[in-house]
Amino acid sequence: MTWFLGIAAAVFAALFAYGFWRDRRRTRNGVYLLLALCFGGLALLVEAGQRRPVGAEVAFMLVVLAVPAFAAILAIFLIINGVQMLRREGKSLANLLSLVVGGAIIGYLLIALLVLSRPQLPWIVQSLFVAMTMIVGYFGFLFVAYFAYSLIYRRVGYRPGVDYVVALGSGLMGERVPPLLASRLDTARETFLAERRTNPDVKIVVSGGQGPGEDIPEGVAMARYLREHDVPDDAIIIEDASRTTQQNLAFSKALMAARTPTFRAVVVTNDYHAFRAATYDRKARLRAQVIGAPTARYFVPSATIREFVAILAASIWVHVGVCLLLIAFAVLTR
């Protein structure tokens, strides 16, 4: 058993290493990494059990008890963060995410307590609970894989020697650049100045169209902000037609390719958004890595959940199919 788990861990570790070397912008890299860690941990636990059975049993029980305890603590944290988001950012679906997810975790734990304490419940209820548990485990696994790998991705950075620094828009307050967008622009400016030491022709592309509640296009306001912070006007290229991240990247790519057919770029967004933006620039066939600017701590949990939901939505039918299979398995095997 130990050797099988060890081989599985080695295989997934090799897949992760190859995927990271080939293209670090793929979500599957995070799944490979977490599978390698899970199989490796199981191998160590089995090996310990063979040598010291009592110690292994204690370790296993601690892990089992730690899962619901961690889930409860996480739920409380998310609920508190959700209330904080509503107070600071206003009422919107995006700002409710932490509160909703925290409440859902509490709801699942209460259902689990009820079902496990009443073994006489009808088989269909028990089957549906098993299906729910497997679905929760499936999405929990995917979230941990996404979150862990996104942390790794944003800390790797990019290879210097680019032709363009692309700053993605994130919304204005009338004509004013808010703190979230200012953080992106400050990071883009620092990256531009660092690149300019070796490449005087490096440019900044500011990307963002005009959305609801904005008096001017984001690209225009972003360019004004950079000029006010000592970036030369002739080093700024404005893209002011995009409305989504995908359009930011596609339209910016067209502007850069028209000037430099074989360009290299680095894209700047906020840290929580870096990995999802990287998956989009891979799909747009943009030769660029993405770096993240600092974000206010209270904003990160809700934003991270939103990013994860967007990653899931990109392959929604795959996940729907997996959920249906899990439900069928739970019902048919009872």
Side-chain angles (χ1 to χ4, degrees), residues 8-255:
V11 168
F12 285 115
L15 287 171
F16 166 72
Y18 176 74
F20 190 80
W21 169 76
R22 184 73 181 270
D23 190 343
R24 68 183 67 159
R25 299 170 296 179
R26 290 183 177 274
T27 54
R28 70 183 66 165
N29 293 338
V31 174
Y32 292 149
L33 175 62
L34 187 55
L35 284 172
L37 293 174
C38 287
F39 279 109
L42 284 173
L44 292 175
L45 194 59
V46 171
E47 179 66 21
Q50 292 173 349
R51 296 187 179 185
R52 295 185 178 180
V54 177
E57 289 177 6
V58 171
F60 179 76
M61 288 302 299
L62 288 175
V63 171
V64 170
L65 292 174
V67 172
F70 174 77
I73 293 170
L74 176 63
I76 294 169
F77 168 77
L78 289 175
I79 290 171
I80 294 172
N81 177 255
V83 173
Q84 191 177 27
M85 282 290 294
L86 292 176
R87 288 177 177 173
R88 294 195 179 191
E89 301 291 331
K91 296 179 181 179
S92 71
L93 181 59
N95 294 338
L96 280 170
L97 282 175
S98 290
L99 195 61
V100 169
V101 174
I105 294 173
I106 292 293
Y108 170 77
L109 292 175
L110 291 175
I111 291 172
L113 186 62
L114 175 65
V115 172
L116 294 175
S117 64
R118 297 188 178 183
Q120 73 277 11
L121 287 171
W123 72 270
I124 188 64
V125 175
Q126 296 181 15
S127 296
L128 291 176
F129 171 70
V130 171
M132 182 192 300
T133 300
M134 289 193 293
I135 290 171
V136 169
Y138 171 70
F139 286 111
F141 176 88
L142 291 180
F143 178 77
V144 172
Y146 157 76
F147 182 66
Y149 186 66
S150 68
L151 291 178
I152 293 171
Y153 180 87
R154 35 174 122 148
R155 279 162 177 73
V156 171
Y158 75 101
R159 185 161 55 90
V162 300
D163 305 293
Y164 297 94
V165 178
V166 182
L168 303 184
S170 65
L172 302 176
M173 299 179 67
E175 295 188 11
R176 187 169 65 85
V177 171
L180 192 72
L181 183 53
S183 177
R184 297 186 185 189
L185 292 171
D186 291 340
T187 300
R189 174 180 173 274
E190 292 168 6
T191 306
F192 164 78
L193 293 175
E195 290 292 327
R196 205 178 188 201
R197 297 190 189 105
T198 55
N199 178 13
D201 296 324
V202 67
K203 309 289 185 187
I204 293 187
V205 180
V206 287
S207 179
Q210 186 170 348
E214 297 175 344
D215 298 334
I216 58 175
E218 292 172 18
V220 174
M222 294 161 73
R224 179 194 300 166
Y225 181 94
L226 290 174
R227 292 189 201 102
E228 292 172 353
H229 290 78
D230 302 322
V231 175
D233 187 59
D234 61 359
I236 302 172
I237 299 171
I238 299 175
E239 184 287 298
D240 58 2
S242 57
R243 300 293 294 273
T244 64
T245 302
Q246 294 97 319
Q247 290 181 355
N248 286 146
L249 297 167
F251 297 169
S252 297
K253 177 185 176 182
L255 290 175

